[in-house]
Amino acid sequence: MSSCECKGTEDPGQGSILYSILNRGARCPQGGAETPAEHQLCPCASKRKLVAIRAPQRVFKAASEVLVKTFKFVKNVPCFRGLPAEDQLRLVRNSWAPLLVLGLVQDCVDFDTVETQQPSLLHRILTHDTERQERVAAEARDPGVPVGDVESIKMFLVKCRGLRISVKEYAFLKGAILFTAETAELECRDYIQALQREAERALYEHVRTVHWGSTGRFGKLRTVLNTLRSMDPEAVAGLFFRPVTGRSSIDEHVLSMFFER
């Protein structure tokens, strides 16, 4: 982990009354004597930007349509239909986020983001009593997503589109994502693990047959698969759904789309 970029720098306003007010309560909870440096607020904290979708209603609708379409594909997979109902729901809960992101690639869904307006510490201090309710309501409705998470998703979409993934490759990737044996409390874990391996083997055989001259393609698709499996569901939900659904249960929203006919 890298150290703070502004560690050890001097604050020209260190001796001011305002400096003392802003640093009150920001001391590091460590034992031993405290030095003046331990009272300083790190300016790097201001670089932790949050962003949100610029057109949340439009993107929410597009993302929901992608997920509904993906779930229709999933429910038409015979091996999935043959699983116990509880295992089906566990797999859906575990895989909806990477399946959605992959579907956004396939359906060429684009989106723009805008930095959310976070009030400064001084502003929060001076307006705490008069604007507290409005601020709490705004944060509950749309707190935003860390810019690093959003940039990772955007970069992933761009890279995937550059691969020109075929319909069959998308199908095999979805199968490998859906059948994740690491999902908790599965009744048919061994069978699901076998399905996951079969999906990955089918992807390999397809690439070897169709792209026999491209030795690195399967490796690139494996990287796509690994990236999808590491997707943070909270970041995906916060970007595409929470600006509209607020703090309501994402699990309920996802399952409602799964059961949609």
Side-chain angles (χ1 to χ4, degrees):
M1 182 179 295
S2 60
S3 60
C4 174
E5 293 177 359
C6 37
K7 185 175 181 180
T9 58
E10 292 185 10
D11 190 335
Q14 181 172 341
S16 69
I17 296 175
L18 178 59
Y19 181 92
S20 300
I21 294 175
L22 296 181
N23 280 275
R24 192 173 298 160
R27 301 176 182 179
C28 181
Q30 297 177 348
E34 294 179 341
T35 64
E38 291 172 340
H39 295 257
Q40 297 180 19
L41 281 176
C42 174
C44 289
S46 64
K47 298 179 183 178
R48 226 180 138 264
K49 296 180 181 179
L50 298 178
V51 297
I53 293 289
R54 186 181 295 274
Q57 292 288 347
R58 179 184 65 81
V59 176
F60 171 84
K61 183 175 182 293
S64 297
E65 290 174 351
V66 166
L67 204 50
V68 168
K69 183 193 300 185
T70 300
F71 285 154
K72 286 181 179 178
F73 165 82
V74 166
K75 289 186 286 188
N76 283 327
V77 175
C79 296
F80 180 81
R81 292 204 309 265
L83 291 172
E86 288 303 315
D87 274 5
Q88 291 184 17
L89 295 182
R90 291 183 184 111
L91 291 177
V92 166
R93 287 188 176 105
N94 182 72
S95 64
W96 72 265
L99 286 174
L100 170 59
V101 174
L102 185 61
L104 295 176
V105 178
Q106 187 173 13
D107 287 6
C108 299
V109 176
D110 290 314
F111 61 91
D112 294 318
T113 57
V114 59
E115 183 177 347
T116 56
Q117 296 299 317
Q118 299 293 320
S120 67
L121 178 60
L122 177 60
H123 182 272
R124 292 200 300 269
I125 292 173
L126 298 179
T127 63
H128 178 74
D129 293 331
T130 58
E131 296 184 0
R132 180 175 180 275
Q133 295 299 326
E134 290 84 351
R135 177 171 53 82
V136 170
E139 289 176 351
R141 183 175 59 254
D142 182 16
V145 178
V147 66
D149 292 339
V150 176
E151 290 302 320
S152 295
I153 293 174
K154 283 186 170 183
M155 189 178 303
F156 175 77
L157 297 180
V158 171
K159 288 183 177 179
C160 283
R161 286 165 185 162
L163 289 175
R164 299 181 180 273
I165 301 173
S166 70
V167 174
K168 283 191 175 181
E169 288 170 339
Y170 275 119
F172 296 139
L173 288 169
K174 289 175 185 177
I177 294 166
L178 175 66
F179 297 117
T180 302
E182 291 76 14
T183 304
E185 300 180 355
L186 289 173
E187 297 177 29
C188 303
R189 186 177 307 279
D190 291 343
Y191 179 55
I192 290 171
Q193 187 173 42
L195 292 175
Q196 182 182 28
R197 290 172 179 168
E198 177 62 22
E200 293 180 6
R201 187 194 66 80
L203 176 62
Y204 171 76
E205 293 294 340
H206 172 78
V207 171
R208 189 180 68 167
T209 302
V210 178
H211 301 275
W212 59 269
S214 178
T215 57
R217 184 167 183 81
F218 180 71
K220 292 177 181 178
L221 292 177
R222 283 286 302 180
T223 300
V224 168
L225 196 54
N226 292 334
T227 304
L228 286 167
R229 286 172 174 161
S230 66
M231 286 283 172
D232 180 7
E234 280 302 313
V236 176
L239 185 61
F240 298 109
F241 293 142
R242 290 205 188 280
V244 175
T245 64
R247 289 296 180 183
S248 62
S249 172
I250 291 297
D251 187 68
E252 291 180 5
H253 180 65
V254 168
L255 290 183
S256 70
M257 289 186 283
F258 176 71
F259 289 116
E260 183 174 322
R261 294 185 179 277

